[in-house]
């Protein structure tokens, strides 16, 4: 069964600074990878996903992620964060589109 | 296109009671999944329904059950509520396209058990 690790439970960063949120997964088969964002008191919103093809995936709100098969990672990056990016970010993996598993989440706090 | 809707948004119950939560997926979506989100356990998969059949099930006791109707709307029921059932219950719908199921989430139902 697959699993997802997000090593950083909290990431504080100053506004306009770059940020990287780390995600590692384990699976014995090919997987699909996702990043979701959850703003306070709201449901989850899809940021981006990797199904196949180019390993660099661009998403909404200026976020991008790179799939690295050898390191089983799917780190999320943004070159310049805004206060409005303050939220919780979840990495998720599914095997052939089934059995969705979420990581524990990383709380991003953007400081003025 | 309207998003995933969940009703009610907030609910307060007492131990021993039962509760039914409702989820209306995005039009055309046939798969509905339910998740429980708590500060301690994070997001945990409850079950998934596709075409009125339960396709996947997480590791939750039998007090948690669900069903899906022919119009893809889904309900989740929790019987004999316990304090630990207090959580945000999220519903997500998917359009099964065979290339990876992106899930679209509703705003959730926040359940408080007293």
């Amino acid at each position: 069964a697959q699993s997802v690790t997000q090593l950083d439970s909290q990431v504080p960063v100053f506004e306009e600074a770059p940020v990287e949120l780390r995600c590692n997964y384990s699976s014995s088969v090919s997987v699909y990878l996702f990043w979701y964002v959850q703003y306070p008191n709201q449901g989850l919103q899809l940021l981006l996903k990797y199904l196949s093809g180019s390993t660099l995936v661009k998403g909404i709100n200026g976020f991008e992620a790179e799939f690295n098969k050898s390191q089983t990672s799917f780190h999320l990056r943004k070159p310049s964060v805004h206060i409005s990016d303050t939220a919780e970010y979840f990495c998720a993996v599914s095997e052939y589109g089934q059995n969705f598993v979420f990581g524990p989440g990383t709380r991003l706090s953007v400081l003025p | 296109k309207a998003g995933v809707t969940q009703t009610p948004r907030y609910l307060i119950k007492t131990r021993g009671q039962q509760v039914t939560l409702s989820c209306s997926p995005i039009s055309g979506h046939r798969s509905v999944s339910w998740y429980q989100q708590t500060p301690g356990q994070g997001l945990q998969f409850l079950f998934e329904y596709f075409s009125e059949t339960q396709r996947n099930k997480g590791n939750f006791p039998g007090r948690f059950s669900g069903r899906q109707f022919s119009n893809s709307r889904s309900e989740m029921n929790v019987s004999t509520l316990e304090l630990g059932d207090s959580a945000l219950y999220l519903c997500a719908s998917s359009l099964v396209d065979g290339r990876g199921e992106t899930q679209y989430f509703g705003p959730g139902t926040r359940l408080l058990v007293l």
Side-chain angles (χ1 to χ4, degrees):
Chain A
Q2 73 272 39
S3 65
V4 180
T5 303
Q6 292 180 249
L7 289 173
D8 305 305
S9 60
Q10 295 188 60
V11 173
V13 63
F14 285 107
E15 192 174 18
E16 296 183 8
V19 70
E20 178 179 81
L21 306 183
R22 296 181 291 171
C23 172
N24 289 87
Y25 69 93
S26 66
S27 175
S28 57
V29 299
S30 296
V31 295
Y32 302 125
L33 297 156
F34 306 80
W35 273 100
Y36 283 85
V37 60
Q38 185 177 32
Y39 298 103
N41 299 315
Q42 293 187 28
L44 277 69
Q45 180 182 3
L46 178 69
L47 276 175
L48 48 78
K49 62 181 178 181
Y50 172 80
L51 303 180
S52 65
S54 173
T55 56
L56 182 63
V57 180
K58 293 191 183 296
I60 63 171
N61 300 341
F63 284 94
E64 64 179 33
E66 185 154 21
F67 170 55
N68 187 319
K69 189 175 182 179
S70 62
Q71 297 187 8
T72 59
S73 67
F74 191 55
H75 300 333
L76 180 71
R77 294 191 291 259
K78 186 170 183 178
S80 175
V81 294
H82 302 289
I83 295 288
S84 59
D85 292 323
T86 294
E88 187 134 21
Y89 292 79
F90 294 91
C91 181
V93 61
S94 72
E95 294 178 342
Y96 294 127
Q98 303 292 325
N99 300 328
F100 236 74
V101 174
F102 283 86
T106 297
R107 185 171 299 277
L108 174 65
S109 298
V110 181
L111 311 170
Chain B
K1 194 180 265 190
V4 177
T5 58
Q6 292 186 246
T7 56
R9 290 293 312 277
Y10 303 92
L11 207 49
I12 300 176
K13 292 285 188 179
T14 56
R15 280 183 299 174
Q17 287 187 308
Q18 76 165 23
V19 66
T20 299
L21 312 182
S22 180
C23 172
S24 292
I26 291 172
S27 177
H29 285 195
R30 296 165 62 193
S31 170
V32 173
S33 297
W34 288 90
Y35 294 85
Q36 182 195 65
Q37 186 178 28
T38 59
Q41 300 297 320
L43 272 161
Q44 291 187 286
F45 172 73
L46 279 157
F47 30 64
E48 182 211 359
Y49 285 87
F50 177 77
S51 293
E52 302 179 64
T53 301
Q54 188 179 85
R55 185 160 66 173
N56 286 300
K57 189 177 188 303
N59 190 25
F60 277 81
R63 299 186 297 108
F64 292 82
S65 63
R67 60 178 175 169
Q68 187 180 33
F69 302 94
S70 58
N71 62 358
S72 293
R73 189 178 70 85
S74 177
E75 288 183 347
M76 190 192 91
N77 184 275
V78 187
S79 62
T80 318
L81 284 166
E82 300 177 0
L83 296 179
D85 297 333
S86 294
L88 179 66
Y89 290 88
L90 292 165
C91 163
S93 76
S94 305
L95 176 62
V96 182
D97 60 9
R99 294 183 64 245
E101 297 179 17
T102 302
Q103 300 199 24
Y104 297 87
F105 284 79
T109 294
R110 189 166 295 280
L111 172 64
L112 176 62
V113 182
L114 301 175

